[in-house]
Amino acid sequence: MAIESDILRSKLKHFFGFDSFKGDQEQVITHLIEGGDAFVLMPTGGGKSLCYQLPALVMEGTAIVISPLIALMKNQVDAIRGFVSAGDGCIAHFLNSSLSKAQIQEVREDLLSGRTKLLYVAPESLTKEDNISLLRELKISFYAIDEAHCISDWGHDFRPEYRRIRDMVEQLGRAPIIALTATATPKVQSDILKNLNIPGAKIFKSSFNRPNLYYEVRDKVDAEKNIIKFIKQNAGKSGIIYCLSRKKVEELANLLNMNGIAARPYHAGLDAKTRMDNQDAFLMEQVNVIVATIAFGMGIDKPDVRFVIHYDIPKSIESYYQETGRAGRDGQEGRCITYYSYKDIQKLEKFMQSKMISEQEIGKQLLAEVVAYAESSQCRRKLLLNYFGEEYSEENCGCCDNCVNPRPVFDGRKEMCMVIELIKSLPEKFKIEHLANILAGVTNSTINTYHHDKLAAFGSGNNHSVKFWCTVIHQGLLLHLLDKEIETYGLISVTAKGMIFASNPYELKLVEDREFSMGTDEEEDEEAAAATAAMRSGGGGGDPVLLSILKDLRRDMAKRLKLQPWIIFTDPSLVDMSIQFPVSMEDLKNCQGVGDGKAKKFGQEFLTVIKNYVEENDIIRPDDFVVKTAPNKSANKVFIIQSIDRQIALEDIADMKGLDMDKLMSEIEIIVSSGTKLNLNYYIQQNVDDDVVDEIYSYFRDEAESDSLADALKDLEDEYDEMEIRLVRIKFLCEIAS
Ligand code: ADP
Ligand code: ZN
């Protein structure tokens, strides 16, 4: 069946309201309608869905759309129903394990009546007898295989059920096949064509270049502080921060909020309602920042995400490309910043150890690509596009860290020749690392197995490191002097161009990789943070003159306000002020033990005094701000804070965490002493008499000489329960003294 271009265009307008096709859409659609198989590679946002939706609507029969994302099927079906015509629900259906018997019956009737033009199915539904016999009765217009990279175990999202699609097509009856994906390396492309057995499919490949995205990789040192600074400099802009673990998501979201940035967490461990609420808050712009595991983002189409930050490096370039791709979908600014340290790579490798060997091999290879990308000094855009089999010929893209800050180049012709000669001399092909080991003269078990330490080339380049030689080989790949084979992924061979180069070498501008720090362990991080906190509260290092001025001011104010001095600011707070020299409310709130409330209530006079002092004495303030941290970022504390927010009884919280009440109260006291306010009124009202609350409260306001719990217990323990004293003290600290 052939179709005229203007008819197609009028259908596009009629069904979808668009005036013209985007990219390759028209060619793809025409090809499909004419009965050809098609393979569509388009970056996210390119308009893939329309490539099968429109033909499904105009062709005779029902199109079978195979998609791995059961959770998104309903959205997709709703979307197409919304486009096509109000109320005509039977035009599209989905079939998956979430449907009830009655719903399946309805789908069946609509299908058999011929009204349904699109049927979305999960691949596992295609293996069920009932479904097969139903589908066999239909006239199938074509098969669309969405997220086709799921076929390949070299994709980042391998689904074994996808391997059986071709068998299913045979059982149901052959019709044209269209496979679509937003990420596919040459290896994955070849797997898809082979597995679907559509060698003659016409390939429609759009450029994967996203010119408006800025790519940057930063050393993972002080990443949290760096992120807070970045977000503050980009106030009001929407952004996504990806972390690998749920724990980190919670911690980071918490930390951002503590530092005045409204952020919500999103991960699979949250209940469905919270997850939905947080996602909506982000989409509706109640919060600018979402901190998420990769569970977030699929099927989300927020056009104005201005930054995507990877707190942890992703485990493949595909994931990286897909996640960064969520920035700047409207073609405007989109900054993609990744924090990298080699420790994180080792962590990812450790996670893989539980997997099967074959999977581990693939995982390691994908990770090696990530390392090469992160450490490279080459244009990031060029590296990414090259990874997806696309040529990028600009010298300088002007929109990545390496192009903005280029590193010095050296003439690498001699080194490249050494690499090429080595590869040519070996009877078998090897991976990058192995070749680099030979040249650098580093032995390991593989080198020994092959007796490669006996080669003349062994150690011939030992004036350079293994890493240096890896860089040379990577750049040889980029320059197409070397090639990585598709079938035996990762093995390096010399191309025809490389042979020509070797026989007549010319100048090659190579750059050395960047150096990154090793990174620290979480635990070490925490220890370091604790150490700095201890240093800070130890009182050392402050300006003694300023400190005494601040103490005078406090005494003076205390008299005027008829408050105890420590209620205004505690000693550690004053010490911190004498170190940080805060001159704005924002600065002040970053001082130890100074919350929002206290800063506003008592801060102004202190700021004026400090400002004068700074000016009179020409003091250079630390221009870096201080990140407020939780006393200890342990999951327990986060859990306690959240539970109290939800007004859960303290006994239940203690139970859930396996703590006794004493331990729980201590945790709460630590949380409060670090400046986090907790509202325990719901619990106090039920457990302590009102007059007792009043009496203990006035003790702290009028009599106590500090906020010391030990003193309070000594003074009050004859009259009141320890628990009562502790609870009211916390109430007091949160309401008055913070
Ligand atoms: P992909 O699946 O490739 O990520 P989608 O199919 O979700 O992309 O399309 C991305 C966006 O582009 C959607 O908002 C869609 O409505 C829009 N779109 C698709 N085709 C066209 C077109 N021809 N004209 C205008 N907008 C289009
Ligand atoms: Zn660049």
Side-chain angles (χ1 to χ4, degrees):
M1 166 177 153
I3 191 158
E4 306 250 335
S5 181
D6 26 333
I7 298 185
L8 210 51
R9 217 167 286 254
S10 73
K11 296 281 182 196
L12 174 72
K13 180 80 184 164
H14 171 69
F15 287 122
F16 296 93
F18 299 141
D19 292 319
S20 58
F21 288 104
K22 237 166 102 166
D24 289 335
Q25 281 176 338
E26 182 172 4
Q27 292 84 318
V28 174
I29 292 168
T30 313
H31 183 74
L32 190 61
I33 292 176
E34 283 168 358
D37 296 327
F39 184 16
V40 177
L41 295 117
M42 261 186 206
T44 307
K48 277 184 294 301
S49 332
L50 201 106
C51 293
Y52 57 82
Q53 287 169 343
L54 184 59
L57 294 171
V58 303
M59 285 166 79
E60 203 187 322
T62 307
I64 307 294
V65 183
I66 300 167
S67 161
L69 304 169
I70 295 188
L72 293 184
M73 269 181 202
K74 188 169 175 325
N75 286 355
Q76 287 170 321
V77 166
D78 286 346
I80 180 89
R81 285 177 183 166
F83 263 127
V84 172
S85 56
D88 194 3
C90 53
I91 196 102
H93 277 299
F94 64 89
L95 202 56
N96 66 29
S97 48
S98 75
L99 293 182
S100 69
K101 276 234 162 64
Q103 286 169 320
I104 291 180
Q105 192 49 38
E106 190 195 323
V107 174
R108 166 185 287 272
E109 279 165 22
D110 284 345
L111 278 172
L112 293 174
S113 76
R115 285 180 301 224
T116 299
K117 305 301 292 177
L118 286 124
L119 179 69
Y120 287 80
V121 293
E124 42 293 352
S125 315
L126 276 183
T127 56
K128 294 216 178 85
E129 250 337 294
D130 286 356
N131 293 334
I132 293 176
S133 55
L134 167 63
L135 296 186
R136 283 174 70 111
E137 291 181 54
L138 306 179
K139 167 152 182 52
I140 291 173
S141 51
F142 62 86
Y143 299 91
I145 292 126
D146 208 359
E147 313 288 347
H149 58 268
C150 294
I151 284 181
S152 169
D153 44 13
W154 287 94
H156 52 105
D157 197 16
F158 174 52
R159 311 286 174 104
E161 323 81 60
Y162 256 64
R163 288 272 166 86
R164 308 187 51 198
I165 292 176
R166 178 66 204 205
D167 285 348
M168 296 304 128
V169 168
E170 293 303 331
Q171 284 196 40
L172 299 178
R174 180 75 160 95
I177 293 176
I178 175 172
L180 309 100
T181 173
T183 46
T185 57
K187 169 70 178 155
V188 174
Q189 284 177 37
S190 122
D191 281 356
I192 292 172
L193 291 174
K194 224 182 263 167
N195 192 273
L196 288 176
N197 193 12
I198 44 170
K202 185 155 182 191
I203 298 175
F204 298 90
K205 183 162 189 205
S206 327
S207 172
F208 276 53
N209 189 14
R210 301 275 312 272
N212 60 315
L213 296 191
Y214 170 82
Y215 300 102
E216 178 176 349
V217 179
R218 296 185 181 178
D219 204 351
K220 195 169 182 178
V221 174
D222 259 346
E224 294 171 347
K225 185 168 172 179
N226 210 268
I227 289 173
I228 293 170
K229 199 165 170 181
F230 176 86
I231 298 176
K232 290 201 165 173
Q233 284 163 350
N234 287 278
K237 296 182 185 171
S238 270
I240 307 173
I241 305 176
Y242 285 108
C243 306
L244 278 181
S245 72
R246 297 172 186 185
K247 177 166 171 260
K248 192 72 226 176
V249 165
E250 292 284 350
E251 280 174 13
L252 194 53
N254 223 24
L255 184 75
L256 293 183
N257 282 307
M258 253 187 291
N259 284 278
I261 296 165
R264 297 273 184 99
Y266 187 102
H267 58 72
L270 295 169
D271 61 85
K273 169 147 188 344
T274 313
R275 231 174 348 173
M276 193 59 92
D277 286 351
N278 290 356
Q279 175 174 319
D280 285 348
F282 179 65
L283 295 178
M284 311 305 283
E285 310 199 329
Q286 289 152 359
V287 298
N288 282 324
V289 179
I290 193 125
V291 188
T293 55
I294 45 170
F296 180 79
M298 288 210 247
I300 285 190
D301 189 8
K302 185 167 164 54
D304 60 346
V305 173
R306 293 284 157 251
F307 58 88
V308 168
I309 294 175
H310 280 94
Y311 176 84
D312 293 303
I313 195 112
K315 39 180 185 281
S316 69
I317 297 279
E318 280 92 333
S319 313
Y320 172 78
Y321 182 79
Q322 195 175 52
E323 285 148 27
T324 53
R326 294 183 183 128
R329 289 180 66 156
D330 56 5
Q332 307 291 312
E333 182 190 50
R335 293 166 69 91
C336 310
I337 296 172
T338 301
Y339 289 89
Y340 169 78
S341 78
Y342 200 74
K343 265 264 161 59
D344 285 357
I345 298 289
Q346 291 173 329
K347 249 186 249 168
L348 287 171
E349 279 176 346
K350 230 194 291 171
F351 290 151
M352 281 190 289
Q353 280 168 3
S354 57
K355 304 220 162 115
M356 292 194 324
I357 294 291
S358 60
E359 238 179 298
Q360 274 189 37
E361 275 306 308
I362 292 175
K364 275 191 193 146
Q365 187 69 36
L366 292 175
L367 213 47
E369 302 276 6
V370 172
V371 173
Y373 173 82
E375 297 188 357
S376 177
S377 305
Q378 299 277 324
C379 170
R380 305 229 176 256
R381 181 160 275 101
K382 189 184 183 92
L383 292 166
L384 285 172
L385 293 178
N386 185 73
Y387 185 78
F388 294 115
E390 189 175 331
E391 198 55 35
Y392 183 75
S393 47
E394 295 292 324
E395 269 289 317
N396 184 312
C397 82
C399 201
C400 77
D401 51 356
N402 289 336
C403 285
V404 173
N405 288 310
R407 304 240 317 176
V409 294
F410 64 94
D411 184 355
R413 79 181 91 184
K414 177 168 150 252
E415 288 78 7
M416 194 65 75
C417 283
M418 287 169 71
V419 169
I420 292 177
E421 293 308 330
L422 170 64
I423 299 172
K424 275 166 53 184
S425 74
L426 296 171
E428 284 171 78
K429 297 196 178 100
F430 293 91
K431 290 190 180 174
I432 295 175
E433 183 86 2
H434 185 78
L435 299 169
N437 282 333
I438 296 177
L439 289 165
V442 172
T443 42
N444 63 18
S445 58
T446 330
I447 295 277
N448 288 333
T449 313
Y450 286 96
H451 301 296
H452 280 171
D453 49 345
K454 306 285 184 300
L455 293 175
F458 185 79
S460 60
N462 63 6
N463 51 332
H464 292 298
S465 63
V466 173
K467 186 174 158 175
F468 172 89
W469 287 110
C470 287
T471 312
V472 172
I473 299 173
H474 278 127
Q475 293 177 62
L477 289 168
L478 272 183
L479 294 165
H480 303 296
L481 303 173
L482 306 176
D483 190 28
K484 207 172 343 181
E485 293 198 344
I486 290 188
E487 277 317 305
T488 52
Y489 198 69
L491 302 189
I492 305 298
S493 58
V494 182
T495 62
K497 192 177 170 194
M499 294 292 189
I500 295 171
F501 169 83
S503 61
N504 194 5
Y506 43 87
E507 184 186 355
L508 286 185
K509 286 184 186 152
L510 303 187
V511 269
E512 285 199 48
D513 272 359
R514 300 191 349 188
E515 291 296 330
F516 286 85
S517 58
M518 195 55 194
T520 48
D521 277 337
E522 291 277 287
E523 302 79 65
E524 289 168 22
D525 275 352
E526 273 167 26
E527 274 167 30
T532 8
M535 247 164 53
R536 285 173 54 191
S537 59
D543 183 317
V545 180
L546 177 60
L547 183 59
S548 75
I549 297 176
L550 295 178
K551 282 190 172 163
D552 286 348
L553 172 61
R554 179 176 66 175
R555 193 176 322 116
D556 186 47
M557 257 176 103
K559 259 192 223 138
R560 268 187 280 138
L561 300 172
K562 300 199 170 53
L563 284 172
Q564 316 230 38
W566 65 270
I567 295 179
I568 297 175
F569 289 120
T570 61
D571 280 350
S573 296
L574 294 189
V575 170
D576 205 27
M577 287 179 212
S578 75
I579 298 173
Q580 309 289 345
F581 303 101
V583 294
S584 71
M585 271 299 164
E586 250 342 274
D587 297 341
L588 186 64
K589 281 189 245 165
N590 282 326
C591 289
Q592 210 188 339
V594 182
D596 219 15
K598 256 197 195 194
K600 285 208 188 94
K601 243 187 290 178
F602 309 120
Q604 197 49 56
E605 286 186 57
F606 284 80
L607 288 176
T608 313
V609 166
I610 296 169
K611 213 171 180 168
N612 288 339
Y613 186 80
V614 166
E615 278 166 18
E616 279 163 22
N617 297 286
D618 289 330
I619 287 169
I620 301 171
R621 303 175 50 242
D623 58 356
D624 236 4
F625 64 97
V626 177
V627 174
K628 268 198 175 179
T629 52
N632 167 348
K633 298 171 279 182
S634 82
N636 258 359
K637 294 204 171 63
V638 174
F639 181 84
I640 292 169
I641 295 170
Q642 286 170 342
S643 305
I644 291 176
D645 266 353
R646 291 182 199 134
Q647 310 210 339
I648 296 174
L650 297 187
E651 290 81 359
D652 294 338
I653 301 176
D655 252 10
M656 285 186 270
K657 280 287 146 186
L659 301 169
D660 59 29
M661 280 303 270
D662 181 59
K663 186 83 184 79
L664 176 66
M665 287 304 288
S666 307
E667 293 270 347
I668 293 176
E669 281 154 359
I670 294 171
I671 293 169
V672 168
S673 73
S674 77
T676 303
K677 281 194 198 188
L678 296 175
N679 185 346
L680 284 177
N681 287 342
Y682 71 97
Y683 184 79
I684 293 176
Q685 271 158 19
Q686 288 194 354
N687 294 281
V688 189
D689 290 339
D690 285 353
D691 53 334
V692 172
V693 175
D694 282 350
E695 283 159 29
I696 303 177
Y697 203 90
S698 35
Y699 161 81
F700 281 106
R701 193 183 49 219
D702 308 326
E703 289 170 46
E705 278 170 11
S706 73
D707 64 357
S708 153
L709 175 63
D711 290 349
L713 288 176
K714 228 186 290 148
D715 292 345
L716 300 176
E717 76 189 334
D718 298 338
E719 292 161 79
Y720 311 102
D721 260 13
E722 174 177 337
M723 187 65 180
E724 290 172 338
I725 299 169
R726 290 174 84 169
L727 284 169
V728 178
R729 176 174 167 275
I730 290 166
K731 176 178 163 73
F732 178 78
L733 289 176
C734 292
E735 289 175 358
I736 297 287
S738 72

